[in-house]
Amino acid sequence: MAEPLVIVSNRGPIGFRRVEGALRTVRGAGGLVTALRPLVDRHDVAWVATALGEGDREVAAGGPREERLGEAAFRLHLVELAPCVYAPYYRVLANPVLWFVQHGLWELKRDPRADLSAAWADGYVAANRALAAAAVEELDALAGAPLFVQDYHLYLVPALVREARPDVRIAHFVHIPWVGPDGWSVLPEPIVRAVHEGLLAADSIGFHTERWRAAFVETCEAVLGRGADAEARSHANPIAIDAADLERLAGSPAVQERRRELLVGRPELLVLRVDRTDPSKNAVRGFAAFGRLLELEPELEGRIQLLALLDPSRQEIPEYVDYRDATEAAAAAVNARFGRPGWEPVRLDVRDDFPASVAAFLEYDVLLVNPVKDGLNLVAKEAPLVNERDGAVVLSREAGAYEELRAWVLGVDPLDVDEQAEALRAAIRLPRTERAARRAAIRDHVRTHDLDAWAERELEELERRAPRSA
């Protein structure tokens, strides 16, 4: 019989919408669902998550229910949060505060001196309590099951569950970067202490890279004097992609149709970026670097294009709207300076269209991934896996994936526009044999270090630190 496991996350693996009067199931957005799929396939999973829309809230009102993720069955427990809780939890604390702090983006805050006490107590704490209570219900139903908590939305859940059920084995995985004590110093001390104490209530705490793990240890020592505890409980385990699934998708009719559309106007040299309209992704400096490349290499006029496929992200948050506006302005500035009839240097496409992104993965000559900070960055793994032109990769040293891929990419400082421009130039000039060898090495690495291995390691780390009772 499959071992039981309780997962808790902000977003669930599936959602629900009313379509022509019928309640329909839709796959949850984001990479977390894909990452945790092996656990659902192999374990008796109860998944606790927030009800995010009207359909979700309708399901939440009926209580936990059996659902399917592909061929695998699991128990779904959606938690409805009142608007007066969800808004400060998600739109004030989780994304515009914790996300910005942990990505080194505090200077972009509209209101950096705002009083966060009410949003913390009435939003973030209240939401974590509600999800922790639901997790305890599921843990009681699945005797002996461990709890696997996901990401920055739920830093307090381990401590809340530990208080209610002291003997439960708890793992927490942080999918975004961690910063040192100076980075956290912009927040009130009680919030910083609660975040670190909440995580230290887990038996096993996972990060994508050794760098983020070491920063966590440093802040635990500085804030709580508990660096030794953090050292003992934390590990680095970079998340993987579902290589086989992406390769199947690359050959699908939807992707091939988008590829034919792309080929109609494809330039001789295609530089690609695929990410969200998110300040951490650093699109503005990426466009500036491309403009600098055109200054350095005027003979590229008419031969090259930067295709930017950006997924609109968190447009209910003012800082994200500001950055989307800045992104569009930066692209327009490059086109105004360098463009001419019949040649648009930067093609910016803001829409949610993953098949179009995969089609572009197949066709790029240079992939530009230059986040200010990124917990990992899956695009740096996905695109080289399926690319068919032996494309080169220019990758920020601040992306978690750089630790894994550094031998096969051109690393850049994401704040240095000139260095990024030089890296783009170097990528274009790389001999075809060198590009082919680098791409093959990334492809082999991605296929070998797969999602099954990542998921199993997480459970092994938990078992090592908190063995099951006999």
mmCIF file of all heavy atoms in Angstrom, residues 377-412:
data_model
loop_
_atom_site.group_PDB
_atom_site.id
_atom_site.type_symbol
_atom_site.label_atom_id
_atom_site.label_comp_id
_atom_site.label_asym_id
_atom_site.label_seq_id
_atom_site.Cartn_x
_atom_site.Cartn_y
_atom_site.Cartn_z
ATOM 1 N N ASN A 377 15.266 28.852 -11.541
ATOM 2 C CA ASN A 377 14.956 29.226 -12.919
ATOM 3 C C ASN A 377 14.921 27.992 -13.803
ATOM 4 O O ASN A 377 15.944 27.482 -14.253
ATOM 5 C CB ASN A 377 15.914 30.261 -13.511
ATOM 6 C CG ASN A 377 15.323 30.860 -14.792
ATOM 7 O OD1 ASN A 377 15.249 30.190 -15.810
ATOM 8 N ND2 ASN A 377 14.860 32.080 -14.705
ATOM 9 N N LEU A 378 13.703 27.530 -14.058
ATOM 10 C CA LEU A 378 13.517 26.309 -14.841
ATOM 11 C C LEU A 378 13.733 26.523 -16.333
ATOM 12 O O LEU A 378 14.075 25.584 -17.048
ATOM 13 C CB LEU A 378 12.113 25.747 -14.585
ATOM 14 C CG LEU A 378 11.869 25.199 -13.181
ATOM 15 C CD1 LEU A 378 10.422 24.737 -13.044
ATOM 16 C CD2 LEU A 378 12.820 24.066 -12.856
ATOM 17 N N VAL A 379 13.535 27.750 -16.818
ATOM 18 C CA VAL A 379 13.732 28.004 -18.246
ATOM 19 C C VAL A 379 15.157 27.656 -18.666
ATOM 20 O O VAL A 379 15.393 27.145 -19.759
ATOM 21 C CB VAL A 379 13.400 29.469 -18.587
ATOM 22 C CG1 VAL A 379 13.864 29.826 -19.998
ATOM 23 C CG2 VAL A 379 11.908 29.717 -18.457
ATOM 24 N N ALA A 380 16.120 27.901 -17.768
ATOM 25 C CA ALA A 380 17.521 27.599 -18.085
ATOM 26 C C ALA A 380 17.751 26.109 -18.269
ATOM 27 O O ALA A 380 18.755 25.709 -18.875
ATOM 28 C CB ALA A 380 18.425 28.130 -16.979
ATOM 29 N N LYS A 381 16.836 25.276 -17.766
ATOM 30 C CA LYS A 381 16.922 23.828 -17.978
ATOM 31 C C LYS A 381 16.002 23.378 -19.113
ATOM 32 O O LYS A 381 16.359 22.503 -19.913
ATOM 33 C CB LYS A 381 16.544 23.088 -16.696
ATOM 34 C CG LYS A 381 17.501 23.281 -15.543
ATOM 35 C CD LYS A 381 17.099 22.403 -14.359
ATOM 36 C CE LYS A 381 18.098 22.477 -13.225
ATOM 37 N NZ LYS A 381 17.771 21.546 -12.123
ATOM 38 N N GLU A 382 14.810 23.960 -19.167
ATOM 39 C CA GLU A 382 13.818 23.515 -20.157
ATOM 40 C C GLU A 382 14.247 23.812 -21.581
ATOM 41 O O GLU A 382 14.178 22.943 -22.463
ATOM 42 C CB GLU A 382 12.483 24.215 -19.877
ATOM 43 C CG GLU A 382 11.813 23.793 -18.591
ATOM 44 C CD GLU A 382 10.638 24.684 -18.233
ATOM 45 O OE1 GLU A 382 10.625 25.872 -18.654
ATOM 46 O OE2 GLU A 382 9.744 24.219 -17.507
ATOM 47 N N ALA A 383 14.673 25.045 -21.819
ATOM 48 C CA ALA A 383 14.958 25.459 -23.200
ATOM 49 C C ALA A 383 16.102 24.668 -23.832
ATOM 50 O O ALA A 383 15.954 24.167 -24.962
ATOM 51 C CB ALA A 383 15.231 26.956 -23.240
ATOM 52 N N PRO A 384 17.261 24.500 -23.163
ATOM 53 C CA PRO A 384 18.328 23.711 -23.794
ATOM 54 C C PRO A 384 17.956 22.241 -24.017
ATOM 55 O O PRO A 384 18.491 21.607 -24.923
ATOM 56 C CB PRO A 384 19.493 23.837 -22.802
ATOM 57 C CG PRO A 384 19.198 25.058 -22.009
ATOM 58 C CD PRO A 384 17.710 25.116 -21.910
ATOM 59 N N LEU A 385 17.054 21.719 -23.195
ATOM 60 C CA LEU A 385 16.660 20.322 -23.350
ATOM 61 C C LEU A 385 16.088 20.053 -24.730
ATOM 62 O O LEU A 385 16.394 19.030 -25.352
ATOM 63 C CB LEU A 385 15.630 19.942 -22.269
ATOM 64 C CG LEU A 385 15.015 18.548 -22.408
ATOM 65 C CD1 LEU A 385 16.047 17.474 -22.091
ATOM 66 C CD2 LEU A 385 13.793 18.415 -21.511
ATOM 67 N N VAL A 386 15.257 20.969 -25.243
ATOM 68 C CA VAL A 386 14.549 20.710 -26.497
ATOM 69 C C VAL A 386 15.062 21.535 -27.669
ATOM 70 O O VAL A 386 14.619 21.319 -28.806
ATOM 71 C CB VAL A 386 13.025 20.936 -26.327
ATOM 72 C CG1 VAL A 386 12.453 19.975 -25.300
ATOM 73 C CG2 VAL A 386 12.715 22.381 -25.935
ATOM 74 N N ASN A 387 15.976 22.460 -27.446
ATOM 75 C CA ASN A 387 16.473 23.309 -28.525
ATOM 76 C C ASN A 387 17.099 22.477 -29.637
ATOM 77 O O ASN A 387 17.819 21.514 -29.381
ATOM 78 C CB ASN A 387 17.498 24.297 -27.961
ATOM 79 C CG ASN A 387 18.084 25.197 -29.018
ATOM 80 O OD1 ASN A 387 19.211 24.996 -29.455
ATOM 81 N ND2 ASN A 387 17.316 26.184 -29.451
ATOM 82 N N GLU A 388 16.830 22.869 -30.890
ATOM 83 C CA GLU A 388 17.318 22.110 -32.038
ATOM 84 C C GLU A 388 18.346 22.874 -32.871
ATOM 85 O O GLU A 388 18.684 22.462 -33.975
ATOM 86 C CB GLU A 388 16.138 21.698 -32.920
ATOM 87 C CG GLU A 388 15.207 20.716 -32.216
ATOM 88 C CD GLU A 388 14.058 20.240 -33.089
ATOM 89 O OE1 GLU A 388 13.959 20.723 -34.251
ATOM 90 O OE2 GLU A 388 13.265 19.403 -32.624
ATOM 91 N N ARG A 389 18.859 23.998 -32.343
ATOM 92 C CA ARG A 389 19.823 24.804 -33.094
ATOM 93 C C ARG A 389 21.141 24.951 -32.341
ATOM 94 O O ARG A 389 21.943 25.819 -32.659
ATOM 95 C CB ARG A 389 19.232 26.184 -33.403
ATOM 96 C CG ARG A 389 18.052 26.117 -34.373
ATOM 97 C CD ARG A 389 17.530 27.513 -34.659
ATOM 98 N NE ARG A 389 18.535 28.373 -35.264
ATOM 99 C CZ ARG A 389 18.756 28.466 -36.567
ATOM 100 N NH1 ARG A 389 18.057 27.725 -37.423
ATOM 101 N NH2 ARG A 389 19.678 29.283 -37.040
ATOM 102 N N ASP A 390 21.355 24.089 -31.337
ATOM 103 C CA ASP A 390 22.562 24.181 -30.520
ATOM 104 C C ASP A 390 22.748 25.599 -29.991
ATOM 105 O O ASP A 390 23.825 26.196 -30.063
ATOM 106 C CB ASP A 390 23.796 23.735 -31.304
ATOM 107 C CG ASP A 390 23.744 22.250 -31.645
ATOM 108 O OD1 ASP A 390 23.237 21.478 -30.809
ATOM 109 O OD2 ASP A 390 24.192 21.867 -32.736
ATOM 110 N N GLY A 391 21.672 26.132 -29.447
ATOM 111 C CA GLY A 391 21.703 27.492 -28.923
ATOM 112 C C GLY A 391 22.571 27.618 -27.684
ATOM 113 O O GLY A 391 22.673 26.698 -26.869
ATOM 114 N N ALA A 392 23.202 28.783 -27.531
ATOM 115 C CA ALA A 392 24.018 29.083 -26.356
ATOM 116 C C ALA A 392 23.134 29.711 -25.281
ATOM 117 O O ALA A 392 22.076 30.273 -25.567
ATOM 118 C CB ALA A 392 25.142 30.031 -26.730
ATOM 119 N N VAL A 393 23.596 29.629 -24.026
ATOM 120 C CA VAL A 393 22.832 30.144 -22.890
ATOM 121 C C VAL A 393 23.660 31.195 -22.159
ATOM 122 O O VAL A 393 24.785 30.931 -21.742
ATOM 123 C CB VAL A 393 22.451 29.017 -21.909
ATOM 124 C CG1 VAL A 393 21.687 29.594 -20.710
ATOM 125 C CG2 VAL A 393 21.617 27.948 -22.614
ATOM 126 N N VAL A 394 23.078 32.388 -22.020
ATOM 127 C CA VAL A 394 23.645 33.447 -21.183
ATOM 128 C C VAL A 394 22.818 33.459 -19.899
ATOM 129 O O VAL A 394 21.613 33.700 -19.931
ATOM 130 C CB VAL A 394 23.582 34.812 -21.888
ATOM 131 C CG1 VAL A 394 24.049 35.922 -20.945
ATOM 132 C CG2 VAL A 394 24.407 34.789 -23.166
ATOM 133 N N LEU A 395 23.470 33.181 -18.766
ATOM 134 C CA LEU A 395 22.750 32.933 -17.516
ATOM 135 C C LEU A 395 23.302 33.778 -16.372
ATOM 136 O O LEU A 395 24.510 33.801 -16.121
ATOM 137 C CB LEU A 395 22.848 31.447 -17.154
ATOM 138 C CG LEU A 395 22.158 30.989 -15.871
ATOM 139 C CD1 LEU A 395 20.655 31.266 -15.924
ATOM 140 C CD2 LEU A 395 22.419 29.504 -15.635
ATOM 141 N N SER A 396 22.397 34.417 -15.670
ATOM 142 C CA SER A 396 22.760 35.197 -14.488
ATOM 143 C C SER A 396 23.409 34.313 -13.422
ATOM 144 O O SER A 396 22.916 33.230 -13.116
ATOM 145 C CB SER A 396 21.508 35.852 -13.899
ATOM 146 O OG SER A 396 21.759 36.359 -12.603
ATOM 147 N N ARG A 397 24.481 34.824 -12.837
ATOM 148 C CA ARG A 397 25.110 34.106 -11.730
ATOM 149 C C ARG A 397 24.246 34.133 -10.477
ATOM 150 O O ARG A 397 24.521 33.407 -9.519
ATOM 151 C CB ARG A 397 26.484 34.715 -11.426
ATOM 152 C CG ARG A 397 27.461 34.650 -12.597
ATOM 153 C CD ARG A 397 28.845 35.162 -12.200
ATOM 154 N NE ARG A 397 29.692 35.332 -13.368
ATOM 155 C CZ ARG A 397 29.868 36.496 -14.014
ATOM 156 N NH1 ARG A 397 29.267 37.585 -13.558
ATOM 157 N NH2 ARG A 397 30.640 36.553 -15.077
ATOM 158 N N GLU A 398 23.188 34.956 -10.477
ATOM 159 C CA GLU A 398 22.275 35.039 -9.342
ATOM 160 C C GLU A 398 21.079 34.099 -9.491
ATOM 161 O O GLU A 398 20.209 34.076 -8.620
ATOM 162 C CB GLU A 398 21.775 36.477 -9.169
ATOM 163 C CG GLU A 398 22.867 37.466 -8.815
ATOM 164 C CD GLU A 398 23.443 37.224 -7.431
ATOM 165 O OE1 GLU A 398 22.707 36.761 -6.553
ATOM 166 O OE2 GLU A 398 24.647 37.487 -7.236
ATOM 167 N N ALA A 399 21.021 33.342 -10.564
ATOM 168 C CA ALA A 399 19.992 32.304 -10.709
ATOM 169 C C ALA A 399 20.491 31.034 -10.038
ATOM 170 O O ALA A 399 21.657 30.651 -10.202
ATOM 171 C CB ALA A 399 19.701 32.037 -12.184
ATOM 172 N N GLY A 400 19.613 30.377 -9.288
ATOM 173 C CA GLY A 400 20.030 29.149 -8.626
ATOM 174 C C GLY A 400 20.572 28.119 -9.586
ATOM 175 O O GLY A 400 21.497 27.367 -9.257
ATOM 176 N N ALA A 401 20.029 28.068 -10.804
ATOM 177 C CA ALA A 401 20.466 27.079 -11.799
ATOM 178 C C ALA A 401 21.922 27.257 -12.187
ATOM 179 O O ALA A 401 22.547 26.325 -12.703
ATOM 180 C CB ALA A 401 19.581 27.165 -13.041
ATOM 181 N N TYR A 402 22.487 28.437 -11.942
ATOM 182 C CA TYR A 402 23.879 28.667 -12.329
ATOM 183 C C TYR A 402 24.825 27.705 -11.619
ATOM 184 O O TYR A 402 25.833 27.276 -12.199
ATOM 185 C CB TYR A 402 24.271 30.116 -12.044
ATOM 186 C CG TYR A 402 25.686 30.442 -12.470
ATOM 187 C CD1 TYR A 402 26.002 30.615 -13.812
ATOM 188 C CD2 TYR A 402 26.710 30.553 -11.524
ATOM 189 C CE1 TYR A 402 27.302 30.898 -14.215
ATOM 190 C CE2 TYR A 402 28.013 30.834 -11.924
ATOM 191 C CZ TYR A 402 28.304 31.008 -13.260
ATOM 192 O OH TYR A 402 29.595 31.276 -13.657
ATOM 193 N N GLU A 403 24.528 27.360 -10.367
ATOM 194 C CA GLU A 403 25.388 26.429 -9.641
ATOM 195 C C GLU A 403 25.505 25.090 -10.367
ATOM 196 O O GLU A 403 26.564 24.469 -10.373
ATOM 197 C CB GLU A 403 24.872 26.215 -8.217
ATOM 198 C CG GLU A 403 25.171 27.352 -7.269
ATOM 199 C CD GLU A 403 24.960 26.995 -5.818
ATOM 200 O OE1 GLU A 403 24.779 25.797 -5.492
ATOM 201 O OE2 GLU A 403 24.965 27.922 -4.981
ATOM 202 N N GLU A 404 24.411 24.637 -10.966
ATOM 203 C CA GLU A 404 24.421 23.368 -11.692
ATOM 204 C C GLU A 404 25.017 23.480 -13.094
ATOM 205 O O GLU A 404 25.696 22.573 -13.565
ATOM 206 C CB GLU A 404 23.002 22.842 -11.845
ATOM 207 C CG GLU A 404 22.324 22.366 -10.588
ATOM 208 C CD GLU A 404 20.936 21.868 -10.937
ATOM 209 O OE1 GLU A 404 20.810 20.694 -11.316
ATOM 210 O OE2 GLU A 404 19.984 22.666 -10.844
ATOM 211 N N LEU A 405 24.740 24.595 -13.766
ATOM 212 C CA LEU A 405 25.010 24.687 -15.208
ATOM 213 C C LEU A 405 26.226 25.540 -15.550
ATOM 214 O O LEU A 405 26.530 25.725 -16.726
ATOM 215 C CB LEU A 405 23.777 25.274 -15.915
ATOM 216 C CG LEU A 405 22.433 24.592 -15.649
ATOM 217 C CD1 LEU A 405 21.331 25.284 -16.438
ATOM 218 C CD2 LEU A 405 22.485 23.109 -15.981
ATOM 219 N N ARG A 406 26.940 26.026 -14.577
ATOM 220 C CA ARG A 406 27.975 27.032 -14.806
ATOM 221 C C ARG A 406 29.031 26.589 -15.824
ATOM 222 O O ARG A 406 29.595 27.430 -16.533
ATOM 223 C CB ARG A 406 28.633 27.409 -13.477
ATOM 224 C CG ARG A 406 29.360 26.272 -12.795
ATOM 225 C CD ARG A 406 29.760 26.633 -11.354
ATOM 226 N NE ARG A 406 30.494 27.878 -11.291
ATOM 227 C CZ ARG A 406 30.621 28.619 -10.187
ATOM 228 N NH1 ARG A 406 30.043 28.228 -9.060
ATOM 229 N NH2 ARG A 406 31.330 29.719 -10.209
ATOM 230 N N ALA A 407 29.318 25.306 -15.920
ATOM 231 C CA ALA A 407 30.354 24.836 -16.840
ATOM 232 C C ALA A 407 29.929 24.952 -18.300
ATOM 233 O O ALA A 407 30.792 24.910 -19.195
ATOM 234 C CB ALA A 407 30.719 23.384 -16.524
ATOM 235 N N TRP A 408 28.642 25.119 -18.559
ATOM 236 C CA TRP A 408 28.131 25.044 -19.935
ATOM 237 C C TRP A 408 27.415 26.309 -20.379
ATOM 238 O O TRP A 408 26.798 26.321 -21.442
ATOM 239 C CB TRP A 408 27.191 23.847 -20.049
ATOM 240 C CG TRP A 408 27.778 22.601 -19.454
ATOM 241 C CD1 TRP A 408 28.974 22.017 -19.786
ATOM 242 C CD2 TRP A 408 27.220 21.820 -18.390
ATOM 243 N NE1 TRP A 408 29.183 20.910 -19.005
ATOM 244 C CE2 TRP A 408 28.133 20.751 -18.139
ATOM 245 C CE3 TRP A 408 26.062 21.882 -17.634
ATOM 246 C CZ2 TRP A 408 27.898 19.783 -17.165
ATOM 247 C CZ3 TRP A 408 25.816 20.928 -16.668
ATOM 248 C CH2 TRP A 408 26.735 19.892 -16.435
ATOM 249 N N VAL A 409 27.447 27.362 -19.569
ATOM 250 C CA VAL A 409 26.765 28.607 -19.913
ATOM 251 C C VAL A 409 27.752 29.763 -19.865
ATOM 252 O O VAL A 409 28.877 29.620 -19.376
ATOM 253 C CB VAL A 409 25.589 28.892 -18.946
ATOM 254 C CG1 VAL A 409 24.596 27.739 -18.951
ATOM 255 C CG2 VAL A 409 26.101 29.161 -17.521
ATOM 256 N N LEU A 410 27.317 30.927 -20.355
ATOM 257 C CA LEU A 410 28.092 32.152 -20.210
ATOM 258 C C LEU A 410 27.485 32.927 -19.046
ATOM 259 O O LEU A 410 26.362 33.443 -19.155
ATOM 260 C CB LEU A 410 28.055 32.980 -21.496
ATOM 261 C CG LEU A 410 28.845 32.407 -22.690
ATOM 262 C CD1 LEU A 410 27.970 31.418 -23.467
ATOM 263 C CD2 LEU A 410 29.323 33.515 -23.603
ATOM 264 N N GLY A 411 28.180 32.960 -17.923
ATOM 265 C CA GLY A 411 27.661 33.597 -16.725
ATOM 266 C C GLY A 411 27.796 35.106 -16.770
ATOM 267 O O GLY A 411 28.782 35.640 -17.299
ATOM 268 N N VAL A 412 26.799 35.813 -16.199
ATOM 269 C CA VAL A 412 26.812 37.277 -16.194
ATOM 270 C C VAL A 412 26.338 37.810 -14.851
ATOM 271 O O VAL A 412 25.575 37.165 -14.127
ATOM 272 C CB VAL A 412 25.921 37.872 -17.307
ATOM 273 C CG1 VAL A 412 26.483 37.565 -18.678
ATOM 274 C CG2 VAL A 412 24.472 37.377 -17.191
#
